[in-house]
Amino acid sequence: MYHSWLDRWDERRARRGEEGKKATDLILDADRAFPGPRKIASIEEFCVLADQAVADPAFFDEPSESDQGFERRDGWLIFPSDIATDIAANNLVWAKITESGSFDQAMVIFHHWNAGARNRQIANFFSRRGITVVEIAMPYHFERSRPGSVHADYMLSPNLGRTVQSIRQGVLDGRKLIRWLKSEGYRDISVFGMSLGSWVAGLIAAHDPAVSKASLFLTAGSLADMVWTGRATRLIRDSLEPEIELTDLRRAWGPLNLENYVHSLARPDLDLHIVLAKRDKVVLPELSERFMQRLKGAGARPNILELKCGHYSLAMPPYILLAGLSLKRFLSRADKSALRP
């Protein structure tokens, strides 16, 4: 009875999230994802470039390592993104810093798609326990929102190239922030991502050796499969389905598929923490399970917590309390690198 009520609650929440959204046309926009002189006019050509990006270890590397442009302002860190888009507000990154008074550990939070506010409760909870919390705005969210938009439609959409560009921008922004934190003297850096934010956090953890811990809530491997099957992305699928097969979408968004980087995520100096919802209709449990199996097959030993709730009802007691306590225990564990002789 209770779980049926939870399912209905999640469905009502999903319907509210659809307000203001509409189906649009599939657009390649390959030059946004893979800048270059070559003009791409077909899905197959786009997929070839995506395959090359998956094989390129530098695709998610920062284009520069300049320390210029960082500004501290009343608890905020503001800095320019290394990817320039046609939305001026999106090109300036805002991150809210909640200091802990210690330089032992910092955690960077990547919120969910269309988040309406940062989470002061999480930031205060962990800062009181010696962890500085930095809540970064992902592309087209919060202070970086596109003027006139009612949701972050430019970060995840039927525009294949802009979606790749946006996720890559989020990764590069996060890596730039992490480099700044290291320069400030923070020893251990953790990343924490929720839903779409877990893809950004996971990609950063896979590519940045400065990250020692990664906590991924409501996650899976293939972003293409999540969009194709998930309740929250139904309108995106409606836009894509007449023009592209799922097999091609998997290739087109291959650079964003965490399953392609499981060996990097399984590196011995990275701890992984995963929280999943067994009744999730947005990130289907079978997609998450496939990702867990791929991680384990690569040698990773993730700390996995599965809760009997839905995607949105994870935010309700007792589930959010169980997830928060699990995250606290995970972050309190000794760093692997500190244990090695």
Side-chain angles (χ1 to χ4, degrees):
M1 179 75 73
Y2 178 66
H3 289 133
S4 296
W5 178 85
L6 273 187
D7 291 342
R8 292 193 298 272
W9 190 92
D10 270 79
E11 176 59 24
R12 288 194 297 271
R13 176 62 181 78
R15 288 176 184 171
R16 289 201 304 272
E18 288 181 331
E19 295 175 2
K21 296 180 182 179
K22 59 181 180 180
T24 57
D25 294 334
L26 179 147
I27 300 173
L28 292 181
D29 245 356
D31 56 331
R32 293 186 189 275
F34 317 110
R38 182 179 172 188
K39 188 66 177 176
I40 301 302
S42 71
I43 292 172
E44 175 58 28
E45 290 176 301
F46 189 105
C47 289
V48 168
L49 293 182
D51 292 341
Q52 293 171 359
V54 171
D56 180 4
F59 184 70
F60 287 107
D61 283 354
E62 294 180 77
S64 68
E65 293 194 358
S66 171
D67 291 325
Q68 302 300 312
F70 291 91
E71 178 186 354
R72 291 288 299 265
R73 185 192 304 171
D74 298 326
W76 295 86
L77 179 69
I78 307 166
F79 59 93
S81 176
D82 285 336
I83 291 182
T85 67
D86 51 353
I87 304 299
N90 183 53
N91 299 333
L92 195 63
V93 185
W94 291 69
K96 182 73 173 73
I97 303 177
T98 305
E99 301 276 5
S100 66
S102 169
F103 287 91
D104 283 343
Q105 190 171 0
M107 177 173 66
V108 183
I109 295 180
F110 299 85
H111 49 77
H112 59 84
W113 187 38
N114 296 317
R118 292 177 171 86
N119 198 311
R120 184 174 60 184
Q121 290 84 359
I122 290 178
N124 289 340
F125 178 84
F126 284 104
S127 67
R128 288 195 297 266
R129 287 156 177 80
I131 300 173
T132 291
V133 177
V134 188
E135 300 172 90
I136 189 172
M138 293 200 301
Y140 304 105
H141 286 79
F142 302 146
E143 301 82 9
R144 307 175 68 177
S145 295
R146 180 171 61 88
S149 64
V150 295
H151 70 288
D153 55 342
Y154 272 23
M155 185 165 189
L156 183 62
S157 75
N159 186 317
L160 302 185
R162 195 193 297 275
T163 297
V164 173
Q165 180 194 56
S166 298
I167 301 293
R168 180 169 176 261
Q169 183 178 32
V171 171
L172 298 190
D173 295 342
R175 295 194 66 184
K176 191 170 184 176
L177 171 58
I178 287 167
R179 181 164 49 81
W180 180 85
L181 288 168
K182 294 295 285 188
S183 74
E184 290 290 295
Y186 286 95
R187 183 174 60 86
D188 290 339
I189 306 293
S190 305
V191 292
F192 168 35
M194 296 170 276
S195 195
L196 184 61
S198 74
W199 268 266
V200 177
L203 288 167
I204 291 172
H207 290 86
D208 199 323
V211 175
S212 58
K213 294 183 176 72
S215 180
L216 310 179
F217 279 30
L218 306 172
T219 195
S222 171
L223 188 71
D225 282 270
M226 186 277 283
V227 166
W228 201 263
T229 60
R231 176 64 180 85
T233 49
R234 187 177 295 174
L235 289 173
I236 297 180
R237 175 175 175 168
D238 289 346
S239 302
L240 293 171
E241 196 166 15
E243 305 292 337
I244 188 172
E245 300 285 343
L246 177 56
T247 52
D248 286 333
L249 185 62
R250 287 172 179 150
R251 285 184 64 197
W253 284 348
L256 315 179
N257 186 346
L258 292 176
E259 292 176 4
N260 287 327
Y261 310 104
V262 289
H263 290 284
S264 297
L265 289 168
R267 69 177 190 268
D269 59 347
L270 177 66
D271 281 330
L272 292 175
H273 175 244
I274 312 287
V275 174
L276 304 174
K278 292 184 177 181
R279 307 180 76 85
D280 200 333
K281 300 296 192 299
V282 175
V283 182
L284 298 189
E286 51 263 39
L287 299 182
S288 299
E289 177 59 25
R290 187 177 75 190
F291 181 37
M292 297 305 102
Q293 292 304 318
R294 298 283 173 84
L295 282 171
K296 293 173 183 177
R301 294 295 177 264
N303 181 332
I304 303 171
L305 174 65
E306 294 183 277
L307 298 170
K308 294 180 181 180
C309 60
H311 193 86
Y312 302 107
S313 51
L314 175 65
M316 298 173 60
Y319 308 110
I320 190 61
L321 300 176
L322 295 170
L325 289 173
S326 178
L327 176 59
K328 176 182 176 292
R329 288 193 295 268
F330 170 72
L331 294 176
S332 300
R333 287 170 52 184
D335 185 10
K336 284 182 180 180
S337 61
L339 297 177
R340 289 200 301 266

